[in-house]
Amino acid sequence: MSGAEAPVVLGVIGAILEITKTIIGVYTTAQNLTGLPEAFSLVGRRLPIIQDILKSAEEHLAAETNEAVFRAIKPTVDQCAEDIRSLEEIFAEVKPVDGVWKWERYRKAVKARGKGSRVETLMISIFTDVQLLNSHRGMKMPAENQSRSILDAIEELKAVSPSVPESEFRDSSFITNSGVQQYVASGQGFMSAGSSRQYFAQSIIFENDTHKLEEKDSCLRALFLTNPRDDREYLTTTKAWLYSSSELLWVSGTPGQGKTMIAIYLAEKLEQMAQNSANTLFLQYFCDNKDEKRNTAVAILRSLLFQLLQLQPKLFDHILPSFRVQGESLFTSLSFETLWRIFQSMICDTRLGKVYCILDGLDEYEEVSLEMLLNKLAPLFFSTKSNKSSACHLNLLILSRDYPELIPNSLFSFPRICLESDSESEVKNDILRFIDMKVKELSIFRKYPERLSEHVKRVFQARAQGTFLWIGIVAKAMQKYKASEAETALEYFPQGLDMLYSRILLQIDINQRDIAAQILHWVVMAIRPLTILELSVAIEVSKEDSLLFSREQVMRDRVLNCGYFLAIKGDEINLVHQSAKDYLLRKTPDSDPELELFRIKEKEANLVIARKCFNYLQNGSLVAGPVDLETDHFHLKRFPLLPYATLYWPEHSRTLAHSEDIFDLSLPFYGAESKARKVTSTLLIHLIAFGLILWNYTACRESPAQTHI
């Protein structure tokens, strides 16, 4: 052992081991107390794996003489130390007093720190750090059972019910931290204990003017939707764009080519550059078509305005006059024109320096919103070039597919990087590097001989068709096959994403296909991601389906039957990629009846979902009268689908004007004394008025759903 880095790295590993020992001690002492969430119990049981691997690493490094090894692993060791300290702080928060776990403290601490501080999330991060450390070429190769233990533990932690439910993070309220007058977004990860996986928001300290402070507080509270840094967390441009005074650059590519990964990389680099410059700001927005807070033009503007006001409080001058008149109605779906005017005035403010902005997934935006936004962008940049006195300071990077046609038709006059053509050689090199990395991981895990590794590489290169997603899916699937089975197993995975998706569906057990098709239909068509419990009600998984397992456990297994189409994150179910949705929604009928079962016809699927939601409201969930969707936990536990059914059945009913199933006025729902109808309509009107759900006014006005309410 030699050099300056060696003792530092060994010291940090020693500190991690001491902290791990302390946490294990807390868990061991109190593990038999009642009320211990499964996530905490699982973390406590899996910590010895971390301990054993780090002890082995410590022994190996004590004899290491190459200083380069210590320099290479130091960032990983430091990150692991930060994560384990955060875990220690969490356990200290909830440490039992008088035999009682302090869970309310934990819930508040996690909401203040962000989703990344949930014990299961921290533990996944720690296992990832340890896996990176153990697989470094300067370390001893991990034994197969050791590597398997890490992967199994990570899968267990991903599958466990979240210790703080996702619904807890939908609160967008603000609190004022007395003394420093700093804004903190509840549950959105704006506060950090130093972890690089949490992100600081710049403190906003105002003049000592109580009225102005309250006014700005109210404005930000109403404006806030989501924190794009959290959105970027569950996710090299040209010099001409980077150093131009104001320019729009469009990066386009087909599904699975890595557009979002490019966006994440660039966001990290541009954010770092902005932090090191006194005169540069960085904004970001990652669209998700399954999240109504992240797929409309108004949502984009609200997020960008929120970020600008965080970074430059002096820009409040542009928004407060409108906010004083309109209040929170300024931030509803009907206020796009006003919000755009405010945004444009902010980015043209002469006090601003350069503003970089990344918009990822433009093709996932709701179509009406997409048209509204694109119609504004071109004039903004053209007016800047023609009139220097009113120039904006915005350098905008858009990443999307070239579909729908509205996108290329609107952006044709701007500089473009086309991943499938302009950067073909660069993308190909990245694909080859990604294949090398994935095959190396497989070779280590399954102990492939060199000839087999080379064969797997050749197959990946021939069949991936330039998509990272194909490589990721197949590499994960290959983990379950032994080296002797790998050559045959490769034949299960055909060329290209569409053929791969077809093969995955055909591999579903024939007795499970009807249920799998129902699940996929609901997940694809749902307005927002559904929870495990909501989906179990939607497809009618009963408590009586199993004597030994809960409804949620049965539902998780049924989701897993859908193969690589779906991913469970916390208690929410999402499609693995936009391309999976495109495949399931393909318009052309399939000649194979087994595959046709899974193809989604939008109108038919909307009818099924609208009918289910409508019947759910009629048959018990609202017969007792008004229900508070935020606080009536007992009622929501009895009727888990109630919030979704109440808020979104009209959305699914839009295209069903001639459906007697839904709009038959003889149904009890439409009766003069129907409590269900009165409660539903009152709740919808309240939520729309306060902008708590994003509503397409024109479509809603034309929908019979509104007429009949």
Side-chain angles (χ1 to χ4, degrees):
M1 182 178 67
S2 63
E5 298 285 6
V8 173
V9 170
L10 286 169
V12 174
I13 292 177
I16 295 171
L17 285 168
E18 283 300 314
I19 294 172
T20 305
K21 182 179 178 182
T22 300
I23 300 173
I24 291 173
V26 172
Y27 169 72
T28 303
T29 302
Q31 63 179 310
N32 294 323
L33 296 179
T34 58
L36 182 66
E38 176 57 23
F40 270 83
S41 181
L42 184 58
V43 167
R45 296 197 306 269
R46 296 296 174 260
L47 274 170
I49 298 174
I50 302 290
Q51 202 173 35
D52 291 344
I53 294 174
L54 287 179
K55 282 180 180 177
S56 298
E58 188 179 41
E59 290 173 4
H60 170 70
L61 290 170
E64 180 60 63
T65 59
N66 186 351
E67 182 70 10
V69 171
F70 290 96
R71 284 197 300 272
I73 66 173
K74 187 176 184 298
T76 302
V77 173
D78 288 342
Q79 183 61 63
C80 186
E82 288 189 12
D83 291 333
I84 201 73
R85 288 190 193 103
S86 296
L87 188 65
E88 182 187 31
E89 290 171 6
I90 291 295
F91 266 83
E93 287 278 356
V94 301
K95 189 174 181 180
V97 177
D98 298 327
V100 180
W101 289 93
K102 299 296 182 181
W103 295 124
E104 185 60 24
R105 283 187 189 173
Y106 171 65
R107 188 184 68 81
K108 288 180 179 178
V110 170
K111 288 193 70 175
R113 295 163 182 258
K115 299 179 187 179
S117 62
R118 286 187 291 202
V119 290
E120 61 272 22
T121 307
L122 284 171
M123 196 64 173
I124 289 171
S125 180
I126 292 166
F127 268 117
T128 303
D129 297 333
V130 170
Q131 179 77 319
L132 285 171
L133 176 65
N134 216 28
S135 60
H136 187 271
R137 63 178 180 273
M139 305 290 289
K140 288 181 178 177
M141 292 297 232
E144 180 176 343
N145 62 341
Q146 200 173 66
S147 182
R148 183 72 259 172
S149 296
I150 293 175
L151 294 173
D152 287 346
I154 290 175
E155 290 303 314
E156 282 184 288
L157 289 159
K158 286 180 178 178
V160 74
S161 297
S163 54
V164 176
E166 288 292 321
S167 57
E168 294 275 352
F169 298 97
R170 292 176 187 154
D171 174 21
S172 58
S173 60
F174 280 73
I175 59 173
T176 302
N177 186 0
S178 58
V180 296
Q181 298 178 337
Q182 179 183 16
Y183 286 111
V184 181
S186 175
Q188 296 301 325
F190 282 6
M191 297 183 69
S192 172
S195 169
S196 64
R197 287 186 175 85
Q198 308 289 323
Y199 295 89
F200 285 108
Q202 179 172 328
S203 300
I204 304 176
I205 303 177
F206 299 113
E207 61 272 30
N208 189 18
D209 183 328
T210 304
H211 176 69
K212 276 195 173 183
L213 178 61
E214 291 176 353
E215 189 176 47
K216 293 173 181 178
D217 184 11
S218 298
C219 180
L220 278 180
R221 181 168 57 248
L223 187 62
F224 182 81
L225 277 175
T226 67
N227 178 9
R229 292 184 176 91
D230 277 349
D231 301 336
R232 187 177 83 194
E233 186 178 357
Y234 207 30
L235 293 127
T236 306
T237 187
T238 64
K239 289 184 178 180
W241 174 80
L242 193 62
Y243 296 111
S244 65
S245 57
S246 180
E247 185 61 273
L248 185 154
L249 175 66
W250 178 30
V251 176
S252 67
T254 55
Q257 282 199 307
K259 296 183 296 297
T260 296
M261 296 312 297
I262 291 173
I264 291 171
Y265 173 79
L266 287 172
E268 290 172 348
K269 295 300 180 183
L270 289 171
E271 185 175 52
Q272 187 178 41
M273 186 171 74
Q275 289 171 347
N276 295 332
S277 171
N279 204 33
T280 301
L281 303 181
F282 172 63
L283 315 176
Q284 57 191 320
Y285 194 85
F286 292 79
C287 183
D288 182 351
N289 65 9
K290 297 298 290 183
D291 187 344
E292 69 270 24
K293 291 183 179 181
R294 288 166 55 200
N295 68 357
T296 68
V298 168
I300 296 167
L301 288 178
R302 286 178 65 173
S303 177
L304 297 181
L305 289 170
F306 185 87
Q307 293 174 69
L308 280 168
L309 292 173
Q310 277 192 296
L311 297 167
Q312 289 291 352
K314 59 192 176 187
L315 296 176
F316 268 105
D317 295 344
H318 296 280
I319 195 171
L320 285 182
S322 297
F323 183 68
R324 290 183 186 119
V325 175
Q326 297 178 243
E328 293 187 2
S329 64
L330 175 61
F331 308 124
T332 65
S333 56
L334 302 181
S335 300
F336 174 80
E337 292 294 336
T338 305
L339 291 176
W340 177 264
R341 175 181 54 76
I342 294 169
F343 174 71
Q344 187 170 356
S345 68
M346 284 188 183
I347 58 174
C348 292
D349 191 308
T350 55
R351 295 170 292 180
L352 278 187
K354 188 178 290 294
V355 180
Y356 290 108
C357 178
I358 288 179
L359 297 182
D360 177 56
L362 196 70
D363 52 281
E364 296 194 30
Y365 295 170
E366 187 268 329
E367 196 164 340
V368 174
S369 288
L370 179 61
E371 184 174 7
M372 291 164 60
L373 183 65
L374 289 172
N375 286 343
K376 295 292 186 183
L377 288 177
L380 173 67
F381 287 97
F382 289 146
S383 64
T384 294
K385 292 178 179 179
S386 61
N387 186 359
K388 298 297 182 183
S389 62
S390 62
C392 75
H393 308 279
L394 182 66
N395 281 43
L396 177 63
L397 177 66
I398 290 175
L399 299 99
S400 76
R401 296 180 296 173
D402 57 6
Y403 178 85
E405 290 184 2
L406 181 62
I407 295 177
N409 290 346
S410 300
L411 301 180
F412 74 93
S413 59
F414 293 101
R416 177 182 182 183
I417 295 176
C418 188
L419 296 180
E420 61 264 42
S421 57
D422 294 353
S423 303
E424 185 175 353
S425 60
E426 290 85 351
V427 172
K428 184 177 180 180
N429 288 336
D430 288 341
I431 288 286
L432 293 176
R433 282 193 289 268
F434 190 54
I435 290 173
D436 285 345
M437 182 185 76
K438 286 299 181 183
V439 174
K440 183 178 180 181
E441 289 175 0
L442 283 170
S443 300
I444 293 171
F445 178 54
R446 283 299 183 185
K447 295 184 177 178
Y448 286 178
E450 186 174 350
R451 287 181 61 189
L452 178 58
S453 295
E454 291 302 317
H455 175 66
V456 174
K457 280 184 189 179
R458 287 193 296 272
V459 173
F460 276 30
Q461 291 165 8
R463 298 183 191 171
Q465 291 189 336
T467 59
F468 293 92
L469 183 61
W470 188 97
I471 299 163
I473 291 174
V474 176
K476 185 174 182 180
M478 288 292 292
Q479 289 180 356
K480 64 183 179 183
Y481 298 104
K482 297 175 183 177
S484 59
E485 302 168 330
E487 196 170 358
T488 302
L490 283 171
E491 299 308 312
Y492 301 154
F493 306 107
Q495 180 172 295
L497 278 176
D498 281 0
M499 292 294 290
L500 179 62
Y501 286 143
S502 297
R503 185 60 185 252
I504 291 171
L505 292 177
L506 292 174
Q507 286 179 331
I508 297 173
D509 186 282
I510 193 168
N511 297 317
Q512 299 292 333
R513 287 181 184 175
D514 286 338
I515 293 176
Q518 289 182 56
I519 291 171
L520 290 171
H521 286 204
W522 270 87
V523 173
V524 168
M525 298 304 298
I527 307 302
R528 62 156 173 81
L530 296 169
T531 66
I532 290 283
L533 198 53
E534 286 173 334
L535 188 58
S536 70
V537 174
I539 68 164
E540 299 180 4
V541 172
S542 169
K543 293 180 180 178
E544 286 71 41
D545 283 2
S546 173
L547 297 175
L548 301 177
F549 299 99
S550 68
R551 183 162 63 183
E552 291 93 326
Q553 289 171 316
V554 172
M555 190 66 235
R556 284 179 182 272
D557 286 344
R558 293 190 175 177
V559 169
L560 292 176
N561 287 336
C562 296
Y564 294 100
F565 273 89
L566 302 179
I568 301 174
K569 184 179 180 182
D571 61 347
E572 290 185 346
I573 304 163
N574 290 281
L575 285 162
V576 70
H577 193 264
Q578 174 68 21
S579 60
K581 179 177 181 178
D582 295 340
Y583 170 80
L584 292 168
L585 286 171
R586 63 197 184 279
K587 301 296 183 184
T588 306
D590 205 298
S591 57
D592 186 335
E594 295 296 335
L595 291 174
E596 182 65 10
L597 170 69
F598 294 99
R599 189 173 69 86
I600 299 172
K601 299 85 172 173
E602 292 188 55
K603 190 170 182 178
E604 293 176 19
N606 271 321
L607 173 58
V608 170
I609 296 175
R611 183 187 297 155
K612 177 68 182 181
C613 292
F614 193 70
N615 291 338
Y616 198 72
L617 296 176
Q618 290 190 93
N619 300 327
S621 62
L622 290 179
V623 294
V627 177
D628 190 323
L629 297 182
E630 292 294 326
T631 61
D632 198 342
H633 301 300
F634 178 75
H635 193 80
L636 294 179
K637 190 172 183 179
R638 288 183 60 208
F639 299 99
L641 194 60
L642 178 58
Y644 187 90
T646 304
L647 298 182
Y648 299 116
W649 78 264
E651 191 79 9
H652 290 291
S653 303
R654 275 191 197 176
T655 60
L656 309 177
H658 303 294
S659 172
E660 294 180 359
D661 289 335
I662 304 297
F663 302 117
D664 180 356
L665 297 185
S666 66
L667 291 171
F669 181 84
Y670 295 109
E673 302 303 319
S674 169
K675 288 184 179 180
R677 179 182 59 80
K678 291 177 181 178
V679 172
T680 302
S681 58
T682 300
L683 181 59
L684 283 171
I685 291 168
H686 172 79
L687 293 174
I688 295 166
F690 286 91
L692 297 178
I693 58 174
L694 303 175
W695 200 259
N696 185 320
Y697 175 72
T698 304
C700 181
R701 183 178 57 191
E702 296 170 354
S703 169
Q706 189 191 35
T707 304
H708 294 312
I709 286 178

